[in-house]
Amino acid sequence: MSWKFKCIRTAVLAGASGLWLGAALPAAAQTGAPNPEATTEADAKDTKTAEKGTGTAAEIVNAQGETERVLITGRLEEMLPQQLSQFGTRVDIVTAVQIQDAGALDITQSLQNLVPGLFIANQNGPFDYVDISFQGSRTQDVLWLVDGVRINNRLYAGTTPIDTLPASMVERIEVLDGAQSLFYGTQAVAGAINVVTRQFTQDPNGHVSAGFDTNGGRHIDGFFSDTLGGHRIVVFGSSDKSDGFQPFPDEDYPPDATNRSRGYDVVTLGGKYAYDFSDALRFSTSYQHTDAKLDFARALGAPVGFNDRREDILTAKVDYTPSNELGFFIKGYYHWWYTYFTEFDADPDNPGTLIEVSNHEFWGFTDYGVNALAKYSPTGLGFEFYAGYDYQSYEGSDVVLFIAEHSENVHAVFGEVATTTDLLPNVRLSAGFRHNMPSFGESATVWNVGGRWDITPALFVRGAVGTAFRLPTAEELFASDPPGAPNWVGNPNLKPERSTNINASIGGSIGNNVFNWEVIGFWRDVEDLIDTVFNDDLEADVFDNLPDTVEVRGVEAVIGANINQDFSGQLSFTFSSAEMEGVQIQRVPEQYGSLSLDYHPMDLPFGINVAARYVGDVYRSLGDGLGPVQYGDYLVVDVGARVFLDGERHHRLDFNVHNLFDQEYSTRIDRRVSGDEVPFVLNSLGLPRTFLFRYTYAFF
């Protein structure tokens, strides 16, 4: 491969602006970020990132504003986001190189400056719980996947599943706006986010990297991929460890507190294997293992508190694509999520001694199932058809917060019919349904209708209307707190939460794709809300479906710029009203926006990026004596630079500064009571100014 081609490919991936599928291109020629299986046709035989597979010719606008003819290859599951983008769904892509340029350590940092409409904030720095709002949603309304496997916590709706996912394992992240329950199932109310790990390549590819930061952190990662005699392999691994930083203000600690940092230690190993029996038939399997110790930050009286995490994801899949008209896959998966919680509090009566609260106590779940999907697209008919089946079984328990061990099974069937360009060259339409049958609670049926019209090559409209659902969690079904505890009781007869959703947008390009723009309106009503209601007979808070409705109304604007081959950027801003009974719901900002700029001169061995995110007013009700409290309203700026030390760009140095101006801001607030029984607001602080240095050697 020539140096010029490698340099161009690097620049294509390195643009600051997040790529989105089908921004202003014909419906039949949509794609997103450069696919690991995609190549320019002229270099298809030469590039080391290509691999054989079914594919279609298409065009993309790269980070320099140039239109490239590419060969998109992939199997049915991998191509699904691209297909959905043709039927009215906006799909944003964040690439591995964008993540590396940003100096991101975990998935939250990978997304927070690059995805329009998405507010996401770590509570106390990398590898921690997060608050999320996607186009005005609650945290529990977003579905997370790793290589197509749902990983949402099945015990608690608001406990996010991404606090142990390192950024280094990512090939790309696919972010799908709007209700996605039809294909992806429960919790995809406001959107779905799929983390795609390192992919197969035809020839040797990979890198090793090491770095450190000023929070006492050290970071090591690497991956390797190749094809040997028809056997495709990928291995990747990382180790992220940090002493952390002080997560609360000084005044919120007791005077004798000595442990004031919240750290982490996360080790991830993974691998993939595939064998093509023919061009039509492939078997693949993957395995990912994580060991993590995550400090649980507590300001008052808890000098020792941490979660010891073991997480494994195992998959096996068969893809069969005998022709361009027919494709099918069936995949089995198994997800183990085991955590052991430890907490020792300070003894107020005996200074210097500890009281055991929890010692390696289990909370966790297993989640396994089967997905199957078939696509039939007969030539010349003008329609294509999708049909699928989804089975999920999970069981879990929590001895810390008392969830009795139970299991639940869910069967689902779904289907969709969509038009092709044979029927309407510039219009794509789709309609589908999904029926879910859980073993506890009521069944749920959802539907979706979407479409896209390319009015001209520089102007399009698209939209989707439909319904989505969230099945009750194990806590909501089976909680069994003993007397004297908070005393929450589950309800096995809960109905799923249901939502009605509308996303509609208009967008296009200006000046031969120098500028790309889109304005999106979103409307969502969530009903049958699940929350606790006090039961006088049981003298406990019992989970039930409430008559209230969360009403979400908002607008999002996105502008992408490719000024020339050296400079690109993206600006987005979202206004969101998410109210229940006329009051903004908790932990959902009313406004948020992001800016990313990237300078990547083609003839010079360096690049520079700047990113900023603004979060508007956020509210949380903290009860008697405090009431609703406002926080948020902050602006954080990150900068980065990269230098290539040789002409072939094997050796690379990165220097990043997170929170350049050392802004002190609250990512979350909680109610706490002091030693003299006075309630106060506890502010969880975001990442302070942090310098990160990294060296990478790429062998490609």
Side-chain angles (χ1 to χ4, degrees), residues 657-676:
V657 185
H658 297 297
N659 195 356
L660 176 65
F661 300 110
D662 204 21
Q663 172 78 37
E664 183 174 292
Y665 61 98
S666 297
T667 59
R668 184 184 296 184
I669 59 173
D670 293 283
R671 177 190 177 95
R672 291 293 183 268
V673 179
S674 64
D676 53 2

Side-chain angles (χ1 to χ4, degrees), residues 278-583:
S278 67
D279 287 343
L281 181 63
R282 168 182 288 186
F283 168 78
S284 60
T285 185
S286 67
Y287 175 69
Q288 181 178 314
H289 172 76
T290 298
D291 278 308
K293 180 183 177 183
L294 307 171
D295 286 352
F296 185 68
R298 298 284 295 274
L300 294 175
V304 177
F306 61 87
N307 282 299
D308 193 359
R309 179 78 47 77
R310 304 288 184 272
E311 185 172 13
D312 299 88
I313 303 173
L314 174 66
T315 71
K317 184 172 69 165
V318 174
D319 286 282
Y320 183 58
T321 312
S323 69
N324 289 332
E325 293 185 343
L326 184 63
F328 170 81
F329 79 83
I330 183 169
K331 179 169 75 173
Y333 68 90
Y334 211 115
H335 179 204
W336 297 263
W337 193 94
Y338 295 163
T339 300
Y340 300 88
F341 180 66
T342 297
E343 179 181 339
F344 287 85
D345 289 356
D347 186 346
D349 300 323
N350 298 286
T353 62
L354 301 177
I355 300 173
E356 179 183 310
V357 178
S358 298
N359 190 359
H360 206 64
E361 293 186 337
F362 175 80
W363 63 297
F365 63 90
T366 58
D367 185 356
Y368 61 90
V370 175
N371 311 128
L373 179 65
K375 175 185 176 182
Y376 178 51
S377 183
T379 302
L381 182 63
F383 292 93
E384 58 188 20
F385 306 90
Y386 296 83
Y389 169 75
D390 192 2
Y391 169 73
Q392 184 179 24
S393 177
Y394 81 88
E395 60 183 24
S397 64
D398 187 342
V399 301
V400 182
L401 298 180
F402 306 104
I403 297 176
E405 184 168 358
H406 283 275
S407 61
E408 182 181 16
N409 303 310
V410 181
H411 298 268
V413 292
F414 57 94
E416 182 177 77
V417 59
T419 66
T420 69
T421 54
D422 292 330
L423 183 67
L424 298 168
N426 297 318
V427 177
R428 300 295 300 273
L429 302 171
S430 67
F433 79 98
R434 180 186 183 104
H435 183 62
N436 301 269
M437 298 160 284
S439 55
F440 288 91
E442 294 187 7
S443 297
T445 300
V446 296
W447 56 269
N448 191 81
V449 176
R452 174 184 170 119
W453 176 25
D454 289 289
I455 302 169
T456 72
L459 182 66
F460 68 89
V461 293
R462 61 178 164 195
V465 57
T467 57
F469 71 102
R470 182 183 73 83
L471 294 174
T473 63
E475 177 194 32
E476 294 160 345
L477 292 168
F478 309 123
S480 57
D481 288 340
N487 208 11
W488 288 358
V489 176
N491 179 0
N493 298 313
L494 287 171
K495 295 185 291 186
E497 291 187 346
R498 305 169 191 267
S499 68
T500 304
N501 308 265
I502 300 174
N503 276 55
S505 68
I506 182 171
S509 62
I510 302 173
N512 194 26
N513 290 314
V514 173
F515 295 97
N516 293 284
W517 61 276
E518 188 169 5
V519 178
I520 306 110
F522 51 90
W523 184 99
R524 183 184 315 114
D525 279 355
V526 185
E527 300 176 315
D528 293 326
L529 297 173
I530 299 173
D531 206 341
T532 56
V533 177
F534 188 78
N535 185 296
D536 293 325
D537 295 333
L538 296 176
E539 295 185 350
D541 290 304
V542 179
F543 284 97
D544 203 350
N545 293 104
L546 305 184
D548 305 296
T549 299
V550 172
E551 298 179 343
V552 180
R553 310 289 186 265
V555 63
E556 170 190 334
V558 188
I559 299 175
N562 299 286
I563 305 302
N564 54 41
Q565 67 174 3
D566 298 335
F567 182 80
S568 60
Q570 178 177 271
L571 173 67
S572 71
F573 205 87
T574 301
F575 296 90
S576 171
S577 169
E579 297 183 348
M580 184 169 66
E581 297 182 338
V583 178

Side-chain angles (χ1 to χ4, degrees), residues 182-200:
L182 194 153
F183 282 99
Y184 294 106
T186 179
Q187 285 194 255
V189 173
I193 301 177
N194 184 30
V195 178
V196 181
T197 60
R198 297 293 182 176
Q199 297 290 278
F200 299 115

Side-chain angles (χ1 to χ4, degrees), residues 40-328:
T40 59
E41 292 181 314
D43 294 277
K45 295 181 179 179
D46 196 26
T47 178
K48 296 189 176 185
T49 59
E51 67 149 317
K52 290 169 60 180
T54 60
T56 57
E59 293 178 332
I60 66 167
V61 179
N62 66 27
Q64 286 68 51
E66 302 163 337
T67 299
E68 278 194 69
R69 186 86 173 160
V70 298
L71 180 65
I72 304 171
T73 66
R75 309 285 166 161
L76 179 56
E77 183 181 30
E78 291 77 16
M79 296 289 287
L80 184 58
Q82 187 239 350
Q83 296 294 321
L84 294 176
S85 74
Q86 299 179 16
F87 307 136
T89 295
R90 177 185 168 94
V91 182
D92 288 276
I93 303 292
V94 178
T95 69
V97 175
Q98 287 176 291
I99 292 171
Q100 184 178 15
D101 292 347
L105 300 178
D106 67 352
I107 296 303
T108 300
Q109 290 185 331
S110 302
L111 295 171
Q112 60 190 3
N113 294 325
L114 294 174
V115 179
L118 178 67
F119 160 74
I120 182 168
N122 286 109
Q123 183 173 350
N124 297 128
F127 300 102
D128 198 5
Y129 297 135
V130 302
D131 280 346
I132 302 165
S133 182
F134 197 3
Q135 294 183 335
S137 78
R138 304 165 300 168
T139 295
Q140 59 263 40
D141 293 333
V142 178
L143 175 65
W144 293 89
L145 308 102
V146 172
D147 292 326
V149 174
R150 290 187 294 261
I151 62 167
N152 284 57
N153 192 300
R154 297 310 306 268
L155 295 174
Y156 304 102
T159 300
T160 49
I162 58 173
D163 57 344
T164 53
L165 295 182
S168 59
M169 74 179 192
V170 175
E171 184 75 32
R172 65 186 182 275
I173 304 175
E174 302 164 340
V175 183
L176 291 78
D177 289 16
Q180 301 298 328
S181 287
L182 194 153
F183 282 99
Y184 294 106
T186 179
Q187 285 194 255
V189 173
I193 301 177
N194 184 30
V195 178
V196 181
T197 60
R198 297 293 182 176
Q199 297 290 278
F200 299 115
T201 58
Q202 185 69 24
D203 297 313
N205 190 26
H207 77 229
V208 291
S209 182
F212 64 93
D213 66 47
T214 53
N215 290 324
R218 60 118 178 97
H219 322 280
I220 303 170
D221 70 84
F223 82 95
F224 177 78
S225 60
D226 197 5
T227 299
L228 304 171
H231 301 273
R232 305 183 188 278
I233 59 169
V234 180
V235 292
F236 56 86
S238 64
S239 174
D240 295 272
K241 185 175 183 179
S242 176
D243 298 331
F245 63 93
Q246 181 174 307
F248 308 110
D250 289 335
E251 58 268 23
D252 291 341
Y253 288 93
D256 59 347
T258 56
N259 184 10
R260 298 194 177 197
S261 294
R262 185 261 166 194
Y264 54 83
D265 187 357
V266 181
V267 177
T268 298
L269 299 172
K272 298 180 178 182
Y273 168 80
Y275 184 76
D276 293 330
F277 294 93
S278 67
D279 287 343
L281 181 63
R282 168 182 288 186
F283 168 78
S284 60
T285 185
S286 67
Y287 175 69
Q288 181 178 314
H289 172 76
T290 298
D291 278 308
K293 180 183 177 183
L294 307 171
D295 286 352
F296 185 68
R298 298 284 295 274
L300 294 175
V304 177
F306 61 87
N307 282 299
D308 193 359
R309 179 78 47 77
R310 304 288 184 272
E311 185 172 13
D312 299 88
I313 303 173
L314 174 66
T315 71
K317 184 172 69 165
V318 174
D319 286 282
Y320 183 58
T321 312
S323 69
N324 289 332
E325 293 185 343
L326 184 63
F328 170 81

